[in-house]
Amino acid sequence: MKGATHLYAIALGSNRPHGRHGRPSGVIAAAIARLDQDFGLFDASPVVLNPALGGAGRDFANAVALVESSLSPASMLAALKTIEGDFGRRPGRRWGARVLDLDILAWSGGQLHAQGLTIPHPRLAERAFAIGPLAIIAPNWRLAGSLTARHLATRLARRRALG
């Protein structure tokens, strides 16, 4: 993408069907296409199915996409919220069912702490549905000092196996 200055890792999640895109996995595929259209898709993980957390109800379809953009993190977050709205997401319960959820996991600018936005995502290392797909497409992305996506995914898998 001409003029792109940042690479963003975007988590995608859906656990409600959409009138045009069908099941959650179809919603994720359509959302990846939209990210490609609006920004510039660098890569995307396979879609994986995961059990819902909290009170979200139905299981989720999840993926991670890497996109290029010249937007600042705050502007990227605003653009992602617009896409969520275009897919029919409405404000509601924090852990409720949703047609589409888009979160910034990481960006090429490193760490960021701003009002309403922390990058890398503060719970990334605890969420297999996010760190696993990220480790598939960007295993060497440094997220916590010298720890890469692959390291964090491996640690989480070990903790879960022992737990």
Side-chain angles (χ1 to χ4, degrees):
M1 175 179 197
K2 189 175 181 179
T5 57
H6 305 295
L7 186 64
Y8 285 91
I10 308 297
L12 301 95
S14 175
N15 74 338
R16 284 188 46 213
H18 185 275
R20 189 169 76 204
H21 305 300
R23 294 177 162 210
S25 58
V27 172
I28 297 300
I32 289 171
R34 172 72 183 269
L35 291 172
D36 186 32
Q37 173 190 319
D38 288 6
F39 304 109
L41 185 66
F42 184 78
D43 201 356
S45 74
V47 177
V48 293
L49 300 178
N50 294 290
L53 296 175
R58 301 178 189 150
D59 290 348
F60 272 84
N62 296 100
V64 171
L66 302 179
V67 299
E68 298 174 310
S69 176
S70 59
L71 293 177
S72 69
S75 296
M76 175 59 84
L77 181 61
L80 296 177
K81 295 306 169 195
T82 297
I83 293 170
E84 288 178 350
D86 291 349
F87 273 72
R89 179 156 181 195
R90 300 293 174 254
R93 209 168 38 137
R94 181 178 173 122
W95 295 104
R98 60 205 83 158
V99 172
L100 182 62
D101 185 31
L102 300 172
D103 289 314
I104 299 172
L105 297 178
W107 76 308
S108 56
Q111 294 185 352
L112 174 78
H113 300 282
Q115 185 175 357
L117 181 60
T118 300
I119 304 173
H121 192 285
R123 290 173 299 286
L124 176 58
E126 303 163 13
R127 295 181 169 173
F129 63 84
I131 194 65
L134 180 59
I136 290 170
I137 59 174
N140 296 320
W141 191 321
R142 293 194 187 281
L143 297 165
S146 64
L147 296 178
T148 63
R150 178 186 308 126
H151 288 126
L152 295 174
T154 300
R155 282 183 173 185
L156 182 58
R158 283 186 186 145
R159 279 198 312 262
R160 287 178 168 221
L162 297 172

